[in-house]
Amino acid sequence: MKEKLADIRSTLDNERRPSITDVIQKHTGRTHPLIWVGIGLASLQQLTRINVVFYYGKTSWQATGFTEASALSTNVVNGSVNVVFTLVAIALIDRVGRRPLLLVGSIGQALMLGTMAYVFATAAQGGASGIEMQGGQGIVALVAANAYIAFFAFSWGPVMWVMLGEMLPNRFRGAALSICGLVQWLSNFLVTWTFPTFTGVNRARYLLRYLCGIWDRSFHLREVVH
């Protein structure tokens, strides 16, 4: 805590206009290693493919035989689970620690994705959507999907942002966070843009949304530099 306060005081005493070149180490001429750690965290958060569930949830559930009304209701449940377990993360992050939450979240997400993959792979072929879940398969898939969201919401979702704010020094935190945010949006775009390849969903209507998001991060980066 004392070191953190000293870092803040030093930053205030030597306040100057921030620059993107602050992320370059003067004695080596290379990008500070923490930038690469931040970029890794930001990209890995999106490579869990969490936003596929949110962006394509309705389409995916309808493809498995759910009615449109049921698919929309499922999306509402997904969002509620996300909010509730984000609050759980707020309560646990200082008690349990960052690393344990990330590890538990990663393992849980992997198990739940494996469960969903098995259910979808073993579903009967047929029906208007090409997939017809029988017995309790639909319930198992639904529970696994929401558990997957829960594991993300109390781990990679909020913890990544907390770690970025804590580990980056004050002297280049603004520029570094903008770079990491840009990488996160680019990873989000990549994951969301490639998912329809496997499902046949029309991708055109999603392009503008992500271009706007990327532009937004670029705008903030420019503001930090100037």
Side-chain angles (χ1 to χ4, degrees), residues 155-193:
S155 61
W156 281 94
V159 173
M160 184 273 291
W161 292 110
V162 172
M163 290 185 67
L164 289 182
E166 291 177 339
M167 72 184 191
L168 297 170
N170 285 347
R171 65 181 182 275
F172 60 78
R173 180 177 296 162
L177 285 175
S178 294
I179 292 171
C180 293
L182 178 62
V183 169
Q184 190 212 31
W185 270 98
L186 289 171
S187 301
N188 186 356
F189 175 82
L190 177 65
V191 168
T192 310
W193 188 248

Side-chain angles (χ1 to χ4, degrees), residues 8 28 46 58 76 86 91:
I8 294 173
T28 63
Q46 290 302 309
K58 173 178 172 291
V76 173
T86 299

Side-chain angles (χ1 to χ4, degrees), residues 1-13 168-171 173:
M1 180 62 72
K2 292 181 179 179
E3 293 179 359
K4 198 69 173 179
L5 290 174
D7 186 27
I8 294 173
R9 291 194 184 98
S10 175
T11 302
L12 293 174
D13 292 339
L168 297 170
N170 285 347
R171 65 181 182 275
R173 180 177 296 162

Side-chain angles (χ1 to χ4, degrees), residues 74-106:
T74 300
N75 263 7
V76 173
V77 173
N78 294 160
S80 300
V81 169
N82 188 37
V83 171
V84 169
F85 280 88
T86 299
L87 296 176
V88 172
I90 294 173
L92 293 179
I93 191 166
D94 286 326
R95 297 180 183 179
V96 177
R98 284 70 168 148
R99 187 169 180 268
L101 286 180
L102 290 178
L103 288 174
V104 172
S106 298

Side-chain angles (χ1 to χ4, degrees), residues 12-23:
L12 293 174
D13 292 339
N14 300 284
E15 187 174 359
R16 62 180 179 79
R17 178 175 293 181
S19 171
I20 192 65
T21 58
D22 291 340
V23 303

